[in-house]
Amino acid sequence: MRALEKASTFAGNTFAYWVILFAALALLFPGGFTWIGSYISLLLGIIMFGMGMTLSASDFKEVFSHPKKVLIGVIAQFTIMPLLAFGLAKLLGLPPEIAVGVILVGSCPGGTSSNVMTFLARGNTALSVTITSCTTLLAPLLTPAITLMLASQWLPVSAGAMFKSVVTIVLLPIILGLIAKTLFSKTVEKSAKALPLVSVIGIVGIVAAVVSGSKEKILESGLLILAVVILHNALGYLIGFFAAKLFKLEYADQKAVSIEVGMQNSGLATALAVAHFSPLAAVPGAIFSVWHNVSGSFLANYWGKKAKKLEEQKE
């Protein structure tokens, strides 16, 4: 078990590198990864099951002790990124499938890796965890509704079908994870440290599946999608930070909201795009999975070092 924990820690710390490596391998040897495409929803469900096993009542303490902070973070999550996605799609005249893919990314809840990045950035990790949990639980209603509102001018959107998908691959696995934790608390506690490894394998598998299945389209439109993803992500960090600052949240809270807004559950966006649109619509989500872990690591490193310097100056 100790070896598994070490492997899990190593995988979590080097997450971005594994995603980049397997994305590259999927481009070079697509035939070796296309079979994973049939299991994208299952992989995401397993990740969400793991998230459910890590949740506890304490994760929602912030809702009651600091409701203003949580509300600002949740509203920022479901307004800034969707509107940025819509604006970029319009401004850059994106093709329909890519536009819908970008909007799907923007309409999804925060990603669980945002919690790790907030911790490394010395932000308010408890706030980050609470916002992620709240936005994930709200996703079955808000993600289909926002996608319908913003993306239907490009492609037909079935909010009802999407609602069922999000319930099946997000909400239900989380509930099952909570039940498993309640019934088998000791076993779950022992295996909890291995969950980052499961998440890394799941996201890497999803990215590799999408990249291998859309090789030609990526080679054709990859630079455009990458540019949109980088802009979307960077503006999310920036506007999220200033939104928190505007409402006079503390600096640690500003960092948490910034990272929470900028980092999306792109695995969910990818799964929904494959299920309801096309492989090309899933490419923005796959590229976002790679990029936001790279950018998040750099941002967390910068803020973490800055916080350390300030602490040293005070001593």
Side-chain angles (χ1 to χ4, degrees):
M1 182 59 79
R2 191 168 290 178
L4 189 61
E5 287 177 16
K6 285 183 179 179
S8 187
T9 302
F10 176 74
N13 292 338
T14 55
F15 185 23
Y17 301 108
W18 292 111
V19 175
I20 292 168
L21 172 63
F22 278 87
L25 287 172
L27 270 179
L28 292 170
F29 312 105
F33 300 94
T34 48
W35 62 272
I36 305 173
S38 304
Y39 303 98
I40 288 176
S41 294
L42 176 63
L43 288 170
L44 187 61
I46 291 169
I47 294 167
M48 291 297 104
F49 178 76
M51 180 182 176
M53 289 199 297
T54 62
L55 288 178
S56 64
S58 61
D59 293 331
F60 297 93
K61 274 184 183 176
E62 291 284 311
V63 176
F64 304 103
S65 55
H66 300 101
K68 177 189 169 184
K69 295 178 182 181
V70 178
L71 188 62
I72 289 167
V74 171
I75 291 172
Q77 177 70 59
F78 283 120
T79 54
I80 292 171
M81 290 302 269
L83 292 174
L84 276 174
F86 180 80
L88 288 169
K90 281 285 191 183
L91 186 67
L92 299 174
L94 298 180
E97 289 169 302
I98 296 174
V100 170
V102 173
I103 289 169
L104 258 177
V105 171
S107 305
C108 282
T112 51
S113 51
S114 62
N115 309 148
V116 178
M117 299 305 174
T118 301
F119 173 76
L120 296 174
R122 307 228 180 160
N124 187 338
T125 308
L127 177 62
S128 175
V129 170
T130 304
I131 295 171
T132 300
S133 302
C134 289
T135 56
T136 301
L137 294 174
L138 288 168
L141 288 173
L142 294 184
T143 297
I146 294 168
T147 305
L148 174 65
M149 186 168 58
L150 299 180
S152 55
Q153 64 179 275
W154 280 281
L155 291 174
V157 177
S158 173
M162 201 176 290
F163 168 79
K164 289 177 185 175
S165 292
V166 182
V167 167
T168 304
I169 61 181
V170 174
L171 194 59
L172 189 57
I174 286 175
I175 292 169
L176 290 173
L178 282 166
I179 292 169
K181 184 179 181 180
T182 304
L183 296 177
F184 312 104
S185 55
K186 289 184 179 179
T187 306
V188 168
E189 195 176 324
K190 286 180 183 177
S191 61
K193 291 181 181 178
L195 290 175
L197 178 61
V198 176
S199 295
V200 170
I201 292 171
I203 292 294
V204 165
I206 290 169
V207 171
V210 172
V211 170
S212 64
S214 309
K215 178 182 177 180
E216 301 305 321
K217 294 289 185 180
I218 290 174
L219 294 176
E220 184 184 318
S221 310
L223 285 176
L224 171 65
I225 299 172
L226 179 62
V228 173
V229 163
I230 291 172
L231 269 174
H232 193 199
N233 176 235
L235 289 170
Y237 290 140
L238 188 66
I239 298 173
F241 180 82
F242 282 108
K245 193 171 186 178
L246 179 68
F247 287 99
K248 298 179 180 178
L249 298 191
E250 294 174 9
Y251 188 48
D253 302 331
Q254 292 169 18
K255 290 189 279 188
V257 172
S258 172
I259 293 170
E260 198 62 35
V261 170
M263 298 187 75
Q264 300 292 91
N265 188 338
S266 43
L268 174 59
T270 304
L272 292 175
V274 170
H276 300 282
F277 298 103
S278 70
L280 180 57
V283 174
I287 293 178
F288 204 100
S289 291
V290 179
W291 176 253
H292 79 161
N293 283 292
V294 174
S295 65
S297 298
F298 280 117
L299 184 59
N301 188 48
Y302 165 74
W303 268 331
K305 284 183 177 178
K306 188 179 175 183
K308 192 176 180 183
K309 280 184 182 178
L310 287 171
E311 285 174 8
E312 288 171 353
Q313 287 170 5
K314 287 178 182 177
E315 290 175 357

